[in-house]
Amino acid sequence: FPVTISRSKILNLKIASGTGFGSQVAAADAIRYAVDNGAKIINCSWGYFVYNQVLKEAVEYALSQGVMVIAAMGNDGNSLKQFPAGFPGVTAVGAIDSKLNYTSFSNIGDHVAFVENGVDILSAAPGGKTAKLTGTSQSAAILSGIASRILSYNPRLTGQELGTIMLLSAEPIADGQRSANSGNGYIVAEKLFRSLNIPSANGFIAEEGAIPEPANSDDTPKKSDEAFFERIVTGKQIGR
């Protein structure tokens, strides 16, 4: 997917069997391994309705190390929390379609941070193939791609700072307000990259499945803290 084109390195860790099921202990081990081996963003396109302390502590460890943990809300169309998306500090991602409509399958709740397109997204498939898949797993992966592209141009950013950039740049869906369906809204990737002077991922907005820019919007995200954004763009440690 074009939005993930960056100077980032990807560390793929398998926690599930061939049937798609994996234990929370395996998931926790993978999270700790990723943190200890330098991961700055951890994408969790999976979840559990009930969590154990091992998984909770692994996520807390990642967050304490400045890692941004992004997780899928789940595809059950209800408000039941899944974890790690439901843990405090985790960036939980729900799904909308390419026309900014809510989907019937995306879980909702006050803990959802953002939404991204999760319908018919070109994804990796078994056997080294690709396929168009639908779900909040795809939405979470897209947001992870956006975050990684930002981080690749300023590796000193913490997970909290990445989250703040996204928060200040989000386009609300629910009458300009945060909601249980869409959280703070969605990120217009190319608009955000332009505002940070990050080279464009050519053709992203125009490609099939991409989220369109809102009508009559300018190229500048909401910037309530200009000094913060200047530090993000230049890498300068302003005020420190």
mmCIF file of all heavy atoms in Angstrom, residues 132-158:
data_model
loop_
_atom_site.group_PDB
_atom_site.id
_atom_site.type_symbol
_atom_site.label_atom_id
_atom_site.label_comp_id
_atom_site.label_asym_id
_atom_site.label_seq_id
_atom_site.Cartn_x
_atom_site.Cartn_y
_atom_site.Cartn_z
ATOM 1 N N LYS A 132 -7.516 -8.561 -1.720
ATOM 2 C CA LYS A 132 -8.240 -7.442 -1.119
ATOM 3 C C LYS A 132 -9.028 -7.968 0.072
ATOM 4 O O LYS A 132 -9.925 -8.791 -0.074
ATOM 5 C CB LYS A 132 -9.161 -6.784 -2.142
ATOM 6 C CG LYS A 132 -8.408 -5.960 -3.178
ATOM 7 C CD LYS A 132 -9.346 -5.142 -4.046
ATOM 8 C CE LYS A 132 -8.565 -4.230 -4.989
ATOM 9 N NZ LYS A 132 -9.456 -3.376 -5.816
ATOM 10 N N LEU A 133 -8.679 -7.467 1.249
ATOM 11 C CA LEU A 133 -9.307 -7.908 2.480
ATOM 12 C C LEU A 133 -10.005 -6.745 3.175
ATOM 13 O O LEU A 133 -9.695 -5.579 2.918
ATOM 14 C CB LEU A 133 -8.255 -8.519 3.410
ATOM 15 C CG LEU A 133 -7.468 -9.706 2.849
ATOM 16 C CD1 LEU A 133 -6.439 -10.189 3.867
ATOM 17 C CD2 LEU A 133 -8.394 -10.846 2.449
ATOM 18 N N THR A 134 -10.921 -7.094 4.054
ATOM 19 C CA THR A 134 -11.723 -6.091 4.747
ATOM 20 C C THR A 134 -11.657 -6.337 6.248
ATOM 21 O O THR A 134 -11.772 -7.478 6.701
ATOM 22 C CB THR A 134 -13.187 -6.157 4.269
ATOM 23 O OG1 THR A 134 -13.257 -5.706 2.915
ATOM 24 C CG2 THR A 134 -14.092 -5.282 5.130
ATOM 25 N N GLY A 135 -11.467 -5.259 7.031
ATOM 26 C CA GLY A 135 -11.461 -5.397 8.473
ATOM 27 C C GLY A 135 -10.662 -4.304 9.147
ATOM 28 O O GLY A 135 -9.936 -3.541 8.500
ATOM 29 N N THR A 136 -10.805 -4.219 10.459
ATOM 30 C CA THR A 136 -10.044 -3.223 11.209
ATOM 31 C C THR A 136 -8.562 -3.565 11.260
ATOM 32 O O THR A 136 -7.739 -2.696 11.552
ATOM 33 C CB THR A 136 -10.597 -3.065 12.639
ATOM 34 O OG1 THR A 136 -10.563 -4.323 13.320
ATOM 35 C CG2 THR A 136 -12.032 -2.550 12.610
ATOM 36 N N SER A 137 -8.213 -4.813 10.967
ATOM 37 C CA SER A 137 -6.792 -5.159 10.856
ATOM 38 C C SER A 137 -6.136 -4.345 9.756
ATOM 39 O O SER A 137 -4.994 -3.870 9.905
ATOM 40 C CB SER A 137 -6.628 -6.654 10.560
ATOM 41 O OG SER A 137 -6.978 -7.435 11.672
ATOM 42 N N GLN A 138 -6.839 -4.191 8.646
ATOM 43 C CA GLN A 138 -6.311 -3.389 7.542
ATOM 44 C C GLN A 138 -6.238 -1.914 7.938
ATOM 45 O O GLN A 138 -5.274 -1.225 7.620
ATOM 46 C CB GLN A 138 -7.188 -3.570 6.302
ATOM 47 C CG GLN A 138 -6.943 -4.842 5.508
ATOM 48 C CD GLN A 138 -7.246 -6.116 6.272
ATOM 49 O OE1 GLN A 138 -8.214 -6.180 7.027
ATOM 50 N NE2 GLN A 138 -6.440 -7.141 6.087
ATOM 51 N N SER A 139 -7.250 -1.434 8.655
ATOM 52 C CA SER A 139 -7.262 -0.036 9.094
ATOM 53 C C SER A 139 -6.075 0.259 10.009
ATOM 54 O O SER A 139 -5.409 1.295 9.878
ATOM 55 C CB SER A 139 -8.564 0.272 9.825
ATOM 56 O OG SER A 139 -9.691 -0.002 9.027
ATOM 57 N N ALA A 140 -5.817 -0.643 10.942
ATOM 58 C CA ALA A 140 -4.698 -0.457 11.870
ATOM 59 C C ALA A 140 -3.371 -0.445 11.126
ATOM 60 O O ALA A 140 -2.480 0.361 11.419
ATOM 61 C CB ALA A 140 -4.705 -1.561 12.926
ATOM 62 N N ALA A 141 -3.241 -1.328 10.140
ATOM 63 C CA ALA A 141 -1.995 -1.395 9.376
ATOM 64 C C ALA A 141 -1.757 -0.106 8.595
ATOM 65 O O ALA A 141 -0.618 0.365 8.476
ATOM 66 C CB ALA A 141 -2.034 -2.595 8.430
ATOM 67 N N ILE A 142 -2.825 0.480 8.054
ATOM 68 C CA ILE A 142 -2.684 1.742 7.321
ATOM 69 C C ILE A 142 -2.204 2.843 8.260
ATOM 70 O O ILE A 142 -1.296 3.613 7.927
ATOM 71 C CB ILE A 142 -4.015 2.128 6.648
ATOM 72 C CG1 ILE A 142 -4.294 1.186 5.470
ATOM 73 C CG2 ILE A 142 -3.975 3.584 6.176
ATOM 74 C CD1 ILE A 142 -5.632 1.411 4.814
ATOM 75 N N LEU A 143 -2.792 2.926 9.449
ATOM 76 C CA LEU A 143 -2.361 3.954 10.386
ATOM 77 C C LEU A 143 -0.911 3.720 10.812
ATOM 78 O O LEU A 143 -0.138 4.675 10.970
ATOM 79 C CB LEU A 143 -3.269 3.980 11.615
ATOM 80 C CG LEU A 143 -3.069 5.225 12.487
ATOM 81 C CD1 LEU A 143 -3.638 6.463 11.788
ATOM 82 C CD2 LEU A 143 -3.713 5.045 13.847
ATOM 83 N N SER A 144 -0.525 2.469 10.981
ATOM 84 C CA SER A 144 0.871 2.160 11.308
ATOM 85 C C SER A 144 1.799 2.608 10.187
ATOM 86 O O SER A 144 2.909 3.098 10.440
ATOM 87 C CB SER A 144 1.040 0.658 11.553
ATOM 88 O OG SER A 144 0.339 0.247 12.715
ATOM 89 N N GLY A 145 1.341 2.460 8.952
ATOM 90 C CA GLY A 145 2.137 2.919 7.814
ATOM 91 C C GLY A 145 2.315 4.422 7.812
ATOM 92 O O GLY A 145 3.399 4.936 7.525
ATOM 93 N N ILE A 146 1.249 5.142 8.136
ATOM 94 C CA ILE A 146 1.332 6.602 8.215
ATOM 95 C C ILE A 146 2.325 7.007 9.305
ATOM 96 O O ILE A 146 3.191 7.860 9.101
ATOM 97 C CB ILE A 146 -0.052 7.206 8.491
ATOM 98 C CG1 ILE A 146 -0.995 6.967 7.302
ATOM 99 C CG2 ILE A 146 0.059 8.699 8.789
ATOM 100 C CD1 ILE A 146 -2.430 7.364 7.554
ATOM 101 N N ALA A 147 2.209 6.376 10.474
ATOM 102 C CA ALA A 147 3.101 6.702 11.584
ATOM 103 C C ALA A 147 4.551 6.383 11.245
ATOM 104 O O ALA A 147 5.462 7.163 11.561
ATOM 105 C CB ALA A 147 2.668 5.931 12.832
ATOM 106 N N SER A 148 4.780 5.264 10.578
ATOM 107 C CA SER A 148 6.155 4.876 10.247
ATOM 108 C C SER A 148 6.776 5.829 9.242
ATOM 109 O O SER A 148 7.982 6.109 9.297
ATOM 110 C CB SER A 148 6.194 3.445 9.713
ATOM 111 O OG SER A 148 5.577 3.352 8.441
ATOM 112 N N ARG A 149 5.972 6.331 8.349
ATOM 113 C CA ARG A 149 6.495 7.281 7.360
ATOM 114 C C ARG A 149 6.920 8.581 8.037
ATOM 115 O O ARG A 149 7.955 9.154 7.706
ATOM 116 C CB ARG A 149 5.443 7.560 6.287
ATOM 117 C CG ARG A 149 5.974 8.401 5.125
ATOM 118 C CD ARG A 149 5.022 8.359 3.953
ATOM 119 N NE ARG A 149 5.462 9.244 2.893
ATOM 120 C CZ ARG A 149 6.410 8.959 2.008
ATOM 121 N NH1 ARG A 149 7.034 7.796 2.089
ATOM 122 N NH2 ARG A 149 6.746 9.813 1.069
ATOM 123 N N ILE A 150 6.138 9.038 8.999
ATOM 124 C CA ILE A 150 6.516 10.228 9.754
ATOM 125 C C ILE A 150 7.800 9.962 10.536
ATOM 126 O O ILE A 150 8.749 10.751 10.520
ATOM 127 C CB ILE A 150 5.390 10.641 10.714
ATOM 128 C CG1 ILE A 150 4.127 11.030 9.932
ATOM 129 C CG2 ILE A 150 5.831 11.805 11.609
ATOM 130 C CD1 ILE A 150 2.907 11.197 10.818
ATOM 131 N N LEU A 151 7.836 8.830 11.219
ATOM 132 C CA LEU A 151 8.975 8.502 12.070
ATOM 133 C C LEU A 151 10.255 8.323 11.270
ATOM 134 O O LEU A 151 11.346 8.652 11.747
ATOM 135 C CB LEU A 151 8.680 7.225 12.863
ATOM 136 C CG LEU A 151 9.666 6.862 13.963
ATOM 137 C CD1 LEU A 151 9.665 7.912 15.051
ATOM 138 C CD2 LEU A 151 9.316 5.495 14.553
ATOM 139 N N SER A 152 10.138 7.847 10.046
ATOM 140 C CA SER A 152 11.337 7.627 9.243
ATOM 141 C C SER A 152 12.030 8.926 8.894
ATOM 142 O O SER A 152 13.222 8.938 8.568
ATOM 143 C CB SER A 152 10.992 6.850 7.965
ATOM 144 O OG SER A 152 10.244 7.650 7.060
ATOM 145 N N TYR A 153 11.313 10.042 8.969
ATOM 146 C CA TYR A 153 11.912 11.341 8.680
ATOM 147 C C TYR A 153 12.295 12.091 9.951
ATOM 148 O O TYR A 153 12.950 13.120 9.889
ATOM 149 C CB TYR A 153 10.974 12.186 7.806
ATOM 150 C CG TYR A 153 11.018 11.727 6.381
ATOM 151 C CD1 TYR A 153 10.180 10.710 5.945
ATOM 152 C CD2 TYR A 153 11.942 12.247 5.484
ATOM 153 C CE1 TYR A 153 10.245 10.239 4.645
ATOM 154 C CE2 TYR A 153 12.011 11.781 4.187
ATOM 155 C CZ TYR A 153 11.165 10.786 3.769
ATOM 156 O OH TYR A 153 11.237 10.307 2.483
ATOM 157 N N ASN A 154 11.894 11.597 11.104
ATOM 158 C CA ASN A 154 12.360 12.141 12.381
ATOM 159 C C ASN A 154 12.327 11.014 13.405
ATOM 160 O O ASN A 154 11.374 10.892 14.175
ATOM 161 C CB ASN A 154 11.510 13.320 12.846
ATOM 162 C CG ASN A 154 12.097 14.004 14.076
ATOM 163 O OD1 ASN A 154 12.990 13.468 14.728
ATOM 164 N ND2 ASN A 154 11.598 15.173 14.402
ATOM 165 N N PRO A 155 13.372 10.175 13.426
ATOM 166 C CA PRO A 155 13.376 8.991 14.292
ATOM 167 C C PRO A 155 13.370 9.297 15.783
ATOM 168 O O PRO A 155 13.169 8.398 16.592
ATOM 169 C CB PRO A 155 14.690 8.280 13.898
ATOM 170 C CG PRO A 155 15.026 8.812 12.548
ATOM 171 C CD PRO A 155 14.546 10.229 12.544
ATOM 172 N N ARG A 156 13.594 10.552 16.168
ATOM 173 C CA ARG A 156 13.639 10.892 17.588
ATOM 174 C C ARG A 156 12.256 11.047 18.198
ATOM 175 O O ARG A 156 12.122 11.196 19.419
ATOM 176 C CB ARG A 156 14.438 12.183 17.795
ATOM 177 C CG ARG A 156 15.926 12.002 17.551
ATOM 178 C CD ARG A 156 16.700 13.267 17.856
ATOM 179 N NE ARG A 156 16.392 14.339 16.922
ATOM 180 C CZ ARG A 156 16.964 15.536 16.955
ATOM 181 N NH1 ARG A 156 17.849 15.807 17.895
ATOM 182 N NH2 ARG A 156 16.658 16.460 16.064
ATOM 183 N N LEU A 157 11.214 11.026 17.386
ATOM 184 C CA LEU A 157 9.863 11.179 17.916
ATOM 185 C C LEU A 157 9.490 10.002 18.806
ATOM 186 O O LEU A 157 9.820 8.855 18.515
ATOM 187 C CB LEU A 157 8.847 11.284 16.780
ATOM 188 C CG LEU A 157 8.939 12.516 15.886
ATOM 189 C CD1 LEU A 157 7.966 12.370 14.722
ATOM 190 C CD2 LEU A 157 8.638 13.773 16.675
ATOM 191 N N THR A 158 8.788 10.286 19.881
ATOM 192 C CA THR A 158 8.257 9.226 20.726
ATOM 193 C C THR A 158 6.880 8.818 20.226
ATOM 194 O O THR A 158 6.257 9.508 19.405
ATOM 195 C CB THR A 158 8.123 9.704 22.184
ATOM 196 O OG1 THR A 158 7.131 10.746 22.252
ATOM 197 C CG2 THR A 158 9.451 10.228 22.718
#
